[in-house]
Amino acid sequence: MSFKQYRSIDLILFVIMYGVCEYLTIKAATVWFDEPYCISIMLPMLAIVMMRWDKYSIIHAVVYALLFVFFQSGSITQYFIYLIGNLGFMLLLLYVKKVTKEKIRATFFGSMSYLLIGFLLMEVFRGLASMLLAGKDAGVIFTFIMTDMLSLVFAILVIIIVRRIDGLFIDQKQYLLELNSQEERIDGGWQDE
């Protein structure tokens, strides 16, 4: 399998995982239990995919926004608000370039800073989009932040867990190169007599 095929399969699997999990989460909160709040898995999934695939996470930013609003039977305005919010999240790539993925994943503080900056970018851009498209005042940014606070707590827990799983919260190109070099060391040390 080529690297491009691996990347494509991985990206498709993350879209499927997000779609299934987000659908079940939204239905559980709104239909099965009729709760006034809902936890979204959008933030941790975007953070993981960005860590794995850099700029290719823009595909997920768009798809996740579309699926999220679709599952909630949202309006056209909501589609644009969530699309703009997720595209705002993509500015996190500038932070990743400056700080590096290795430093982000090396420490708890690095990973949490990465997640929090992504969260704030997403919420601020959703708020700005609401101000422009729905005529809301600046307080809508605070409303978005407070509404998604439970999702942020959930995202923190997810990132704490995935940091401990080998190969999940790491640049995939780097990870595959490390695996390959380990195999070469093992194979190079073996001599068939």
Side-chain angles (χ1 to χ4, degrees):
M1 173 185 318
S2 73
F3 181 72
K4 286 182 180 180
Q5 289 171 323
Y6 174 79
R7 181 179 58 218
S8 297
I9 291 168
D10 194 68
L11 289 169
I12 289 168
L13 287 175
F14 269 92
V15 166
I16 293 168
M17 283 189 293
Y18 171 79
V20 169
C21 292
E22 193 75 84
Y23 175 80
L24 293 173
T25 303
I26 289 170
K27 290 303 170 195
T30 58
V31 176
W32 302 334
F33 300 108
D34 195 29
E35 293 294 328
Y37 55 86
C38 180
I39 295 174
S40 174
I41 65 162
M42 188 181 307
L43 177 63
M45 293 292 280
L46 280 175
I48 292 167
V49 172
M50 183 176 283
M51 181 61 73
R52 292 170 72 88
W53 298 112
D54 295 320
K55 64 185 176 197
Y56 293 97
S57 58
I58 194 166
I59 298 162
H60 289 253
V62 171
V63 172
Y64 291 2
L66 296 175
L67 287 175
F68 181 80
V69 177
F70 177 76
F71 292 153
Q72 295 199 8
S73 303
S75 67
I76 295 295
T77 304
Q78 287 173 312
Y79 277 104
F80 282 108
I81 289 169
Y82 280 85
L83 275 169
I84 291 168
N86 282 10
L87 293 176
F89 177 87
M90 294 306 298
L91 291 174
L92 187 59
L93 281 171
L94 299 173
Y95 177 76
V96 171
K97 284 251 190 239
K98 183 173 176 66
V99 176
T100 75
K101 290 181 181 182
E102 294 76 27
K103 287 182 182 175
I104 289 170
R105 62 180 290 276
T107 65
F108 174 80
F109 178 76
S111 298
M112 293 306 111
S113 297
Y114 166 75
L115 188 66
L116 186 60
I117 292 167
F119 171 77
L120 290 173
L121 284 168
M122 184 184 291
E123 301 303 335
V124 166
F125 274 81
R126 283 179 187 168
L128 293 172
S130 292
M131 290 166 61
L132 290 172
L133 300 172
K136 304 286 184 178
D137 63 20
V140 74
I141 295 172
F142 181 74
T143 303
F144 272 114
I145 291 170
M146 295 312 294
T147 302
D148 288 338
M149 198 55 70
L150 196 55
S151 292
L152 175 62
V153 171
F154 178 74
I156 289 169
L157 294 174
V158 169
I159 296 302
I160 288 171
I161 293 167
V162 299
R163 284 181 71 237
R164 299 182 184 277
I165 299 172
D166 187 40
L168 189 54
F169 193 62
I170 185 172
D171 180 88
Q172 289 302 286
K173 191 171 192 175
Q174 174 191 343
Y175 179 67
L176 293 173
L177 289 171
E178 287 173 10
L179 281 180
N180 190 40
S181 70
Q182 287 174 1
E183 281 182 26
E184 286 176 3
R185 281 196 304 264
I186 292 168
D187 291 342
W190 177 263
Q191 292 186 356
D192 192 16
E193 294 182 27

